[in-house]
Amino acid sequence: MTEPVLNANQLNKTYASTAGVAHEVLHDLSLTVDKGEFVAIMGPSGSGKSTLLNILSTLMQPSSGSVTINNKNILQMNDAEIAKFRGQDMGFIFQDYNLIESLTVQENISLPLTLQKVSPKDIKKAVQKVAQLLHIESYLKQYPTELSGGQQQRVGAARALVHNPTLIFGDEPTGALDSENAREMMNYLNQINENEGISIIMVTHDAFSASFASRILFLTDGQITKTISRDNRSREAFYQQVLSELGNFN
Amino acid sequence: MFGIALKSLRSKWRDYIVLFVGLIISAAIFYMFSAMATNRAFLEANSIVSQITIIFVIGEVLLGLITFVYLNFANGFLLRLRQSEYGLMSMLGATKKQIGSLLLRETLSIGIIATIIGILIGFALTKLSSHYLMNLLGVKLAHWQSISMKSVIITLLFFIVLFTLNGLYNRHRLRKQDTLTLLLANKQVNQPIVHKVIDPLLGLIGLGLLVISYVLMPNIVKIGLSGFVVILVLNVLGTYWFVSRTLKMLTNWIRNSTYSLHGLRTFINGQLAFRLPDYQRILSSIAIMFALALGAMSVGQGYYRMLPNQAEKTYPVTAVYATDKVNTDNLKGVQWQQDYQYVVKGQTVYFNATEFNEHKLPTKVSAKNGSGTQTKWVTGDWLQKKAAYDYTLDGIANQILNQQYGAKAVVTENASEMMAHGTPRTIQMVKVADMMANDQALSHNQKLQEKLVGTKSEFATGSYATYGQLKGIFGGIEFMGIFLGIGFLAMLAATLMFKTLSGVADDKNRYRVLAMIGTSEKKITQIIAVDLGILFVIPMVIGILDVIFGLQMFAPLMAGTNNAYLGFGPSLIGIVSLYIIYYCLTVWMYRRLIKK
């Protein structure tokens, strides 16, 4: 019996437009993600993917509904609790990497740990470990702007991983990468998911990236309209299914 | 193309407002300073220091340099704001020439509009602050003008020339870049590069120059005015090299030590290192502006504080009234009070020795150790022997006759001998413990005396009257010092505020990332406070050091006391308090902008 890591119940999100007309982005959306699961969320522009990810990752408040992560209701946390929660349980990977350009690669990766007041010795060890895993040891002393997009994204993944979170959120993590780098990035995420047992929730446009997930949710007009699972099939077979689903979908 | 330009203006209006306000303030301050520096009649009429006009010319040059650095920076900021737009225009087919002329026109129009508004605000600032200050100090200064055509022209010309130069330079820079570099301008970052030999060397040279300038400062009188310029150059260069290189090495050292692997030190150190190439010039000019503000204020305040002391040294009593109709009950803390009788005949005023024998008269004599004066209580007998030399009594005689000099005081043997020359009248002499605490009452009494017996304040005796006369002579310097202190402080505030707030757009994303990886809002406020705190503290420390040594240069101006530090304490407290308030305000604004 698997245990849920995240549980969202009856999420609604409404934006007030400038014309005064309310615009509903999420409508009664519920979803559960199990420990160690890799979930991709797909859907056309404006379907509410990013809003959903922002709410699940504590960056945004829903208009109504509840979200629990590791059995904690994240909507009832105060600012300090949310900060601590993000620092210990969550990792983020973004389309535009969001590295701090004033810091070296090493400093960027170690930041979540220095915030948690981990000892310098342990910080060095942890940074070395993720750097090896993501093959970025050779440019630890460099600045983000000196790296290629693929390299920067690996640094971003290292930073999301370094503090051993239970859950990683990815917002189009391969969106800015070419196919070679995208494949590499997805392989890393797959490794992290399988070897470290970290759950991943990822928003993506890209069928290829989505095919690395174990389950894909299709979002239309703020609701989950279809769910497909990879089960025991190969990634390639799953990819074909995603493509055909997208064909039907559009 | 104009449409695109207008759109971009709208989308970045907050950045433009910061830029615009900064430019307006710098033009206003420049005007304020010019209004004083170019008013030769005012300077000469209100200062006993002959070099004052030259000091002001040097001051204007210095302010010009600071403004130049500031404008240069502001224009760099403008270019950065616009660069990606220009890239877009270039991609859509605009030629480099078109874009270049657009940039030049934009720079010039922003510059001219800001300068004109700045001058208008300068009028108001000059008028308000001078009015307020003159009232506060109780001085009336001859030839003071708030609106001066000459300064309007100087300010306009200076700013237009600087903007044109900057515009041409920006155009040149723009033309050298290709479309792609322009498009990605916002994403480019310059990282500080540490040079193992040059950095420590320049740091040491900087420190050396700074120390030399400090050593030279007390000897300014020997070196002369050219020394002033040399000291200035040494100090400015020294500050620049020392601050920039030391900080660079320090941040680099912290980066490589385990010290940084704790809490948010990595982030704060990274911010500092990252900003340095951009900040070092600004930090150095702010240090100098801080020093100028504190220095000018200290000299002004020094005079303000010195004058009552000086006045009290010249007379043993606070006031003398040539009539008994002035009621002295309004005075607080009266230490001594005595009435004496006198008779006037021609240019001679007769007193009665018996009265002085019964109630001794205080007078000032040379101190026994030869420096300064001391109070001596004298009898009528003593006065009869020394009468011709006692200037207290002669002064009173002149006051009674309402003239500067020419009267003679004669002390007669007794009352009948005195009254043989005419009808006796009464003078009152009074000494209070704290003259300044009785300022209003003393001023009221003097006006009453003038109304009753016509005694003009410039002929009155007593330390309060002397204080009034000294204020007429030194009030100008006092006013200039405080006025300039306020001006420099405002300029400094504008520069620092502009510099920090113009970086918000870049910093915003860094703070957003920090929040995402587990930094609470409270922590972020703390980091901002420390981050900006470092930028505020560095120039303050250097500025204070500059003033501690620099005030020595003004010792010769401090007549009588040679103590240049009289006004230092209160000015330091005043300016540092304003600076701290200003710092809190900047943190608060910065915090709000980051949150948006």
Side-chain angles (χ1 to χ4, degrees):
Chain A
M1 176 77 193
T2 47
E3 192 183 331
V5 64
L6 178 145
N7 207 338
N9 209 1
Q10 305 239 294
L11 289 179
N12 284 290
K13 179 74 186 175
T14 311
Y15 290 109
S17 74
T18 42
V21 187
H23 175 60
E24 194 176 43
V25 184
L26 296 181
H27 180 73
D28 277 345
L29 190 149
S30 300
L31 94 114
T32 303
V33 176
D34 289 332
K35 227 172 214 162
E37 209 183 352
F38 188 162
V39 176
I41 303 170
M42 297 191 80
S45 295
S47 59
K49 302 187 297 286
S50 295
T51 303
L52 175 61
L53 194 78
N54 283 338
I55 291 174
L56 297 181
S57 59
T58 71
L59 298 176
M60 190 188 271
Q61 290 273 332
S63 305
S64 67
S66 70
V67 180
T68 53
I69 297 177
N70 293 334
N71 297 320
K72 284 175 223 153
N73 187 337
I74 58 166
L75 301 179
Q76 281 171 2
M77 289 181 176
N78 64 27
D79 172 54
E81 286 166 335
I82 285 184
K84 197 173 164 203
F85 189 68
R86 284 181 195 155
Q88 289 177 348
D89 294 79
M90 295 181 174
F92 293 91
I93 305 174
F94 306 89
Q95 176 173 4
D96 46 3
Y97 329 128
N98 271 331
L99 299 174
I100 297 178
E101 69 276 34
S102 54
L103 302 180
T104 61
V105 167
Q106 183 165 4
E107 288 169 335
N108 263 293
I109 299 174
S110 58
L111 208 50
L113 297 177
T114 59
L115 283 170
Q116 305 301 327
K117 298 186 177 140
V118 178
S119 76
K121 214 172 108 194
D122 291 342
I123 292 178
K124 281 186 179 161
K125 249 194 255 168
V127 172
Q128 274 307 321
K129 192 183 151 208
V130 287
Q132 266 168 17
L133 182 72
L134 291 156
H135 296 110
I136 47 177
E137 307 107 295
S138 54
Y139 24 88
L140 282 177
K141 294 274 176 204
Q142 282 176 270
Y143 288 94
T145 45
E146 295 163 352
L147 307 180
S148 73
Q151 290 167 332
Q152 287 194 53
Q153 193 55 300
R154 276 187 275 154
V155 176
R159 186 183 63 190
L161 194 63
V162 73
H163 55 298
N164 273 323
T166 46
L167 189 55
I168 286 180
F169 291 99
D171 189 356
E172 302 273 9
T174 55
L177 304 181
D178 58 52
S179 62
E180 195 49 46
N181 276 308
R183 176 190 293 273
E184 204 176 307
M185 189 69 227
M186 290 317 299
N187 276 326
Y188 284 127
L189 286 182
N190 209 20
Q191 261 183 53
I192 292 165
N193 173 245
E194 285 179 356
N195 302 345
E196 315 282 325
I198 296 172
S199 314
I200 298 175
I201 302 176
M202 169 184 84
V203 159
T204 184
H205 263 105
D206 174 32
F208 175 76
S209 298
S211 68
F212 283 80
S214 48
R215 181 157 61 112
I216 300 174
L217 314 174
F218 291 92
L219 226 65
T220 322
D221 297 333
Q223 287 177 303
I224 298 172
T225 44
K226 173 126 197 162
T227 304
I228 58 170
S229 296
R230 183 164 143 196
D231 299 324
N232 294 321
R233 283 176 293 162
S234 70
R235 191 196 60 75
E236 287 73 17
F238 194 39
Y239 178 49
Q240 290 309 318
Q241 190 191 355
V242 179
L243 285 178
S244 67
E245 285 297 339
L246 282 177
N248 297 334
F249 203 75
N250 294 329
Chain B
M1 273 215 319
F2 186 69
I4 298 180
L6 210 67
K7 265 237 164 70
S8 111
L9 197 91
R10 232 178 285 149
S11 67
K12 287 179 176 168
W13 66 272
R14 204 175 276 128
D15 293 319
Y16 277 100
I17 281 187
V18 173
L19 175 78
F20 217 63
V21 170
L23 292 177
I24 288 174
I25 292 180
S26 80
I29 305 289
F30 191 86
Y31 169 81
M32 251 171 101
F33 193 91
S34 309
M36 196 186 276
T38 58
N39 192 340
R40 193 173 285 258
F42 164 77
L43 292 178
E44 280 168 1
N46 291 292
S47 166
I48 42 137
V49 186
S50 55
Q51 288 110 327
I52 199 87
T53 17
I54 304 167
I55 291 179
F56 266 85
V57 170
I58 293 174
E60 179 111 321
V61 170
L62 201 63
L63 187 66
L65 275 175
I66 292 170
T67 313
F68 179 73
V69 170
Y70 180 67
L71 284 192
N72 202 344
F73 174 74
N75 278 300
F77 176 67
L78 179 69
L79 182 65
R80 213 159 56 93
L81 273 181
R82 308 284 293 111
Q83 239 163 356
S84 51
E85 250 77 34
Y86 292 142
L88 192 67
M89 290 178 195
S90 163
M91 212 173 67
L92 295 174
T95 64
K96 280 273 162 70
K97 205 175 162 191
Q98 280 173 309
I99 295 174
S101 79
L102 182 70
L103 173 70
L104 191 62
R105 264 183 290 160
E106 275 182 4
T107 311
L108 268 178
S109 37
I110 286 184
I112 290 170
I113 296 170
T115 311
I116 290 172
I117 299 177
I119 289 173
L120 292 177
I121 290 178
F123 287 161
L125 273 181
T126 314
K127 182 125 195 128
L128 281 177
S129 60
S130 60
H131 181 75
Y132 174 74
L133 262 183
M134 285 191 200
N135 271 345
L136 183 79
L137 302 176
V139 290
K140 265 225 139 28
L141 302 176
H143 305 288
W144 175 254
Q145 282 178 307
S146 298
I147 296 178
S148 140
M149 257 350 264
K150 200 168 158 192
S151 342
V152 170
I153 292 166
I154 289 177
T155 311
L156 254 182
L157 273 180
F158 183 74
F159 274 77
I160 289 175
V161 167
L162 283 193
F163 273 109
T164 312
L165 287 177
N166 268 305
L168 288 172
Y169 175 67
N170 277 351
R171 191 175 70 173
H172 172 73
R173 270 209 314 205
L174 193 72
R175 279 189 179 167
K176 282 203 326 204
Q177 287 168 344
D178 56 50
T179 308
L180 195 63
T181 322
L182 284 179
L183 270 172
L184 300 175
N186 291 341
K187 307 220 158 44
Q188 284 165 354
V189 181
N190 296 320
Q191 290 295 348
I193 302 158
V194 178
H195 302 281
K196 282 209 170 96
V197 183
I198 296 175
D199 283 339
L201 192 69
L202 277 181
L204 274 178
I205 292 176
L207 183 65
L209 294 181
L210 208 56
V211 170
I212 293 173
S213 79
Y214 287 157
V215 171
L216 288 179
M217 279 173 185
N219 303 309
I220 185 78
V221 179
K222 277 185 242 158
I223 315 169
L225 206 65
S226 56
F228 194 79
V229 179
V230 172
I231 288 173
L232 204 69
V233 172
L234 290 179
N235 189 278
V236 172
L237 264 183
T239 306
Y240 176 64
W241 278 334
F242 180 63
V243 171
S244 59
R245 308 300 145 155
T246 310
L247 282 179
K248 196 159 134 187
M249 289 187 291
L250 190 69
T251 49
N252 193 49
W253 176 77
I254 289 177
R255 176 156 264 169
N256 294 320
S257 76
T258 48
Y259 172 82
S260 68
L261 288 175
H262 187 271
L264 288 153
R265 286 174 194 164
T266 322
F267 181 77
I268 292 170
N269 188 55
Q271 282 280 84
L272 187 63
F274 181 66
R275 283 174 168 170
L276 259 188
D278 207 19
Y279 266 73
Q280 49 202 10
R281 240 169 302 159
I282 291 273
L283 281 185
S284 308
S285 16
I286 287 169
I288 291 157
M289 269 190 270
F290 191 95
L292 288 173
L294 180 57
M297 194 77 106
S298 296
V299 173
Q301 283 259 353
Y303 272 98
Y304 193 66
R305 262 144 225 280
M306 182 189 75
L307 296 184
N309 274 338
Q310 279 295 101
E312 276 175 345
K313 277 188 190 152
T314 55
Y315 271 96
V317 294
T318 311
V320 177
Y321 300 116
T323 163
D324 53 2
K325 299 272 179 348
V326 172
N327 192 341
T328 55
D329 288 351
N330 58 357
L331 299 176
K332 284 170 291 188
V334 174
Q335 286 180 323
W336 178 81
Q337 185 166 17
Q338 190 58 51
D339 294 355
Y340 296 105
Q341 294 210 302
Y342 69 91
V343 169
V344 177
K345 188 182 180 189
Q347 282 292 310
T348 311
V349 180
Y350 296 94
F351 294 95
N352 171 7
T354 329
E355 258 188 312
F356 292 127
N357 284 335
E358 278 164 20
H359 307 284
K360 287 183 186 171
L361 174 80
T363 185
K364 282 283 178 190
V365 295
S366 298
K368 284 203 179 91
N369 59 15
S371 76
T373 57
Q374 67 181 60
T375 305
K376 185 179 166 80
W377 293 83
V378 298
T379 60
D381 299 338
W382 186 89
L383 280 167
Q384 277 189 302
K385 282 179 227 153
K386 290 253 188 173
Y389 305 106
D390 187 64
Y391 89 108
T392 306
L393 220 47
D394 277 337
I396 293 172
N398 279 315
Q399 174 182 351
I400 289 168
L401 291 169
N402 205 10
Q403 61 194 25
Q404 185 78 48
Y405 37 77
K408 185 169 181 276
V410 172
V411 180
T412 60
E413 199 65 42
N414 52 43
S416 55
E417 215 174 278
M418 175 181 77
M419 281 190 281
H421 301 285
T423 331
R425 274 177 285 177
T426 306
I427 56 158
Q428 300 185 74
M429 295 175 81
V430 61
K431 177 165 172 56
V432 294
D434 186 348
M435 183 170 79
M436 294 321 288
N438 284 295
D439 193 9
Q440 272 191 326
L442 285 165
S443 161
H444 168 83
N445 291 355
Q446 163 55 30
K447 279 182 196 141
L448 188 62
Q449 172 178 226
E450 185 168 358
K451 206 168 134 195
L452 291 170
V453 291
T455 310
K456 291 214 173 88
S457 61
E458 61 260 45
F459 304 137
T461 55
S463 48
Y464 186 70
T466 313
Y467 169 64
Q469 291 145 15
L470 285 177
K471 222 156 55 164
I473 305 169
F474 292 99
I477 293 192
E478 184 184 328
F479 171 78
M480 288 172 209
I482 297 177
F483 184 84
L484 290 182
I486 295 169
F488 280 123
L489 204 64
M491 177 80 190
L492 174 156
T495 314
L496 247 184
M497 169 144 110
F498 175 67
K499 184 60 213 167
T500 43
L501 294 188
S502 66
V504 166
D506 294 338
D507 286 342
K508 209 167 166 173
N509 197 41
R510 288 176 213 147
Y511 282 106
R512 199 169 60 94
V513 175
L514 270 194
M516 282 176 185
I517 59 175
T519 315
S520 64
E521 296 283 314
K522 203 176 131 200
K523 250 299 154 32
I524 287 184
T525 310
Q526 283 172 9
I527 305 170
I528 291 175
V530 175
D531 190 15
L532 297 184
I534 295 170
L535 299 181
F536 271 75
V537 163
I538 295 167
M540 184 181 80
V541 171
I542 293 177
I544 291 175
L545 275 180
D546 281 350
V547 174
I548 288 177
F549 291 98
L551 274 179
Q552 294 281 346
M553 295 193 286
F554 293 91
L557 291 185
M558 308 300 283
T561 59
N562 263 359
N563 182 0
Y565 295 96
L566 262 180
F568 179 66
S571 304
L572 184 70
I573 294 170
I575 290 209
V576 170
S577 313
L578 283 176
Y579 197 66
I580 290 173
I581 292 173
Y582 177 64
Y583 159 73
C584 295
L585 194 75
T586 312
V587 171
W588 179 75
M589 284 173 68
Y590 195 86
R591 186 74 188 92
R592 276 181 57 117
L593 287 173
I594 290 279
K595 259 190 181 170
K596 269 185 186 154

